């Protein structure tokens, strides 16, 4: 199996709903040269989730879904 490093990293979405402490650690891991992942999307169901600030800080695209108003 081929190692996935450099430009061949796996694009990854992370789902959050809270403070984002796990998100912060995953982002730090993804920034390492030998990490096989690249975080390119953060998804949350809470528009005021503190973890969304990490997406802004690291210029990662974010998407917020509000399931309360779905009919």
């Amino acid at each position: 199996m081929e190692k996935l490093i450099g430009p061949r990293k796996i694009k990854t979405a992370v789902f959050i709903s809270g403070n984002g402490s796990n998100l912060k650690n995953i982002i730090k891991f993804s920034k390492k040269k030998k990490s096989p992942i690249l975080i390119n999307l953060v998804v949350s169901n809470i528009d005021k989730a503190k973890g969304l600030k990490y997406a802004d800080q690291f210029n990662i695209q974010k998407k917020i879904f509000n399931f309360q108003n779905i009919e």
Side-chain angles (χ1 to χ4, degrees), residues 4-14 23 26-42 58-61:
L4 298 173
I5 59 172
R8 303 185 91 196
K9 291 186 174 195
I10 299 169
K11 293 180 180 178
T12 308
V14 179
L23 173 63
I26 292 170
I27 291 172
K28 284 183 178 181
F29 172 74
S30 72
K31 297 292 183 186
K32 293 182 179 181
K33 186 175 181 178
K34 293 193 177 197
S35 170
I37 62 172
L38 170 67
I39 308 298
N40 65 338
L41 178 64
V42 175
F58 289 98
N59 295 321
I60 300 172
Q61 183 181 357

Side-chain angles (χ1 to χ4, degrees), residues 36-54:
I37 62 172
L38 170 67
I39 308 298
N40 65 338
L41 178 64
V42 175
V43 181
S44 179
N45 63 333
I46 300 173
D47 61 343
K48 297 189 191 272
K50 292 180 183 178
L52 293 172
K53 292 180 183 178
Y54 294 121

